[in-house]
Amino acid sequence: SLSMPTKNGVTAVLAALTALLFIFSLSLGGADISWQDIIKFASGGEIDEIKETILLEIRLPRVIMAFLIGMLLASSGVVVQSVFLNPLADPYIIGIASAATFGAVAAYLLKLPDFYYGVFAFFSAAILSVLIFKLSKKGKSIATLLIIGIAFSSFLGAFTSFATYLIGEDSFKIVAWMMGYVGSANWEKIAYISVPLVLSMAYFYFKRFELNVILSGDEEAQSLGVDVEKMKKRLLIVSSLAVAFSVAFTGMIGFVGLIIPHTLRMILKTSSNTVLIPISAFAGGFFLLACDTIGKSVLSPTEVPIGVVTAFFGAPFFLFLAIRSSRSI
């Protein structure tokens, strides 16, 4: 069982690092705003009006947006891994994110308001996740699941590429968005994203005991009175909601849901969802904010898309996991 100091220790370290990262990230950008200015402003002091506007309207929404999206992706990653009983399952790798992109691009083509990007993304992601779940039950192996996910991703990716081609000159917007971008964050988008975040986190945490029972296998869970099939479907649909809204507002940001839960399982030596759901959400927020900060600063003033940064960390990590799990088979 998990010793409390480990969990509390990880949380404390994360909280301290997040506070430092917040200040550092807010100080990055074209306008020169020092960390002293930021601390002064945060503690209620007066700072230059232009600096205040830049902080409140541009930098703060971006920092918060990166953190919230990281929370969404990491918490849904924990759940998808528990549902499929597989550390390699991740909303991006099994194709849910491609489906969400497909929905969001469809909304863009129909010239609908921003909000509908999330709605369309959700419906296409939810339909695909249930479909993948049904197909993966027929072929129990993990390889089957990944192949199904990759096949759907490729098919939907072809549609998205074709749509991008049709859009013509405006297509740069979609290309940039597909690489992941939190720079267009504003308070309205944060309000939109907060709703699925709060709902999905509450649902995951509320169902944490059932999720733990699922970890011991379907038969065991069934014997303890859990309707496994229904439970898994619902959890997948809620995970799709989380991922879909994240994709709709910030594009494709992969690997967060794969790296974070897995790293925490190794550090904390636990699979308990009671512990992993809240800590993964926090760590996911920190990780994505760190990636955005790296993206902003490494080639400044040019920005590296956040999805490129997460893939830079995530692809080798995925390879490491795949090799390790193939050895244990």
Side-chain angles (χ1 to χ4, degrees), residues 92 96-106 121 124 159-160 177-178 247 251-252:
Y92 278 74
I96 295 175
S98 298
T101 309
F102 169 87
V105 169
S124 50
F159 168 84
T160 308
W177 168 74
M178 280 168 69
V247 168
M252 296 283 273

Side-chain angles (χ1 to χ4, degrees), residues 187-201:
W187 293 110
E188 189 186 3
K189 285 182 182 174
I190 287 170
Y192 281 151
I193 212 86
S194 300
V195 178
L197 174 64
V198 170
L199 291 176
S200 62
M201 287 288 296

Side-chain angles (χ1 to χ4, degrees), residues 14-268:
L14 262 177
L17 288 174
T18 302
L20 291 173
L21 185 60
F22 253 81
I23 293 168
F24 179 64
S25 195
L26 286 171
S27 70
L28 285 179
D32 190 20
I33 303 175
S34 68
W35 60 267
Q36 290 98 326
D37 283 333
I38 293 160
I39 291 170
K40 187 178 172 187
F41 178 65
S43 53
E46 290 284 312
I47 61 165
D48 182 79
E49 208 173 308
I50 295 167
K51 286 182 180 178
E52 186 178 325
T53 306
I54 291 169
L55 271 180
L56 282 180
E57 297 306 320
I58 299 167
R59 293 191 189 171
L60 193 58
R62 179 173 183 153
V63 165
I64 291 172
M65 189 77 158
F67 198 83
L68 296 184
I69 295 290
M71 289 180 80
L72 268 177
L73 294 175
S75 57
S76 55
V78 176
V79 171
V80 170
Q81 286 171 15
S82 296
V83 166
F84 286 112
L85 300 175
N86 173 9
L88 294 181
D90 160 74
Y92 278 74
I93 292 158
I94 64 171
I96 295 175
S98 298
T101 309
F102 169 87
V105 169
Y108 179 88
L109 287 173
L110 295 167
K111 296 187 168 42
L112 295 169
D114 279 11
F115 175 73
Y116 287 97
Y117 291 16
V119 176
F120 273 56
F122 168 61
F123 280 115
S124 50
I127 291 163
L128 183 72
S129 58
V130 172
L131 202 57
I132 288 177
F133 178 64
K134 276 206 173 324
L135 290 169
S136 76
K137 276 197 74 61
K138 292 194 175 95
K140 281 274 194 268
S141 84
I142 299 323
T144 315
L145 165 70
L146 292 176
I147 290 162
I148 292 166
I150 290 162
F152 275 117
S153 286
S154 307
F155 177 73
L156 295 170
F159 168 84
T160 308
S161 302
F162 181 61
T164 309
Y165 172 73
L166 284 182
I167 289 161
E169 284 178 13
D170 255 0
S171 66
F172 178 73
K173 264 191 206 165
I174 286 192
V175 173
W177 168 74
M178 280 168 69
M179 290 181 184
Y181 183 60
V182 289
S184 62
N186 58 38
W187 293 110
E188 189 186 3
K189 285 182 182 174
I190 287 170
Y192 281 151
I193 212 86
S194 300
V195 178
L197 174 64
V198 170
L199 291 176
S200 62
M201 287 288 296
Y203 187 75
F204 294 155
Y205 199 68
F206 182 62
K207 297 291 181 191
R208 64 195 185 279
F209 300 119
E210 282 98 325
L211 261 171
N212 285 345
V213 172
I214 286 171
L215 291 177
S216 57
D218 289 5
E219 279 148 33
E220 177 88 4
Q222 209 81 46
S223 70
L224 289 167
V226 175
D227 185 340
V228 178
E229 188 88 357
K230 196 182 279 181
M231 185 75 246
K232 285 186 172 183
K233 248 185 231 166
R234 284 179 182 163
L235 285 161
L236 274 180
I237 287 171
V238 178
S239 302
S240 304
L241 170 75
V243 173
F245 272 88
S246 133
V247 168
F249 289 109
T250 53
M252 296 283 273
I253 302 170
F255 296 107
V256 182
L258 176 77
I259 297 175
I260 299 302
H262 210 84
T263 306
L264 287 168
R265 274 191 202 99
M266 292 194 284
I267 293 170
L268 296 169

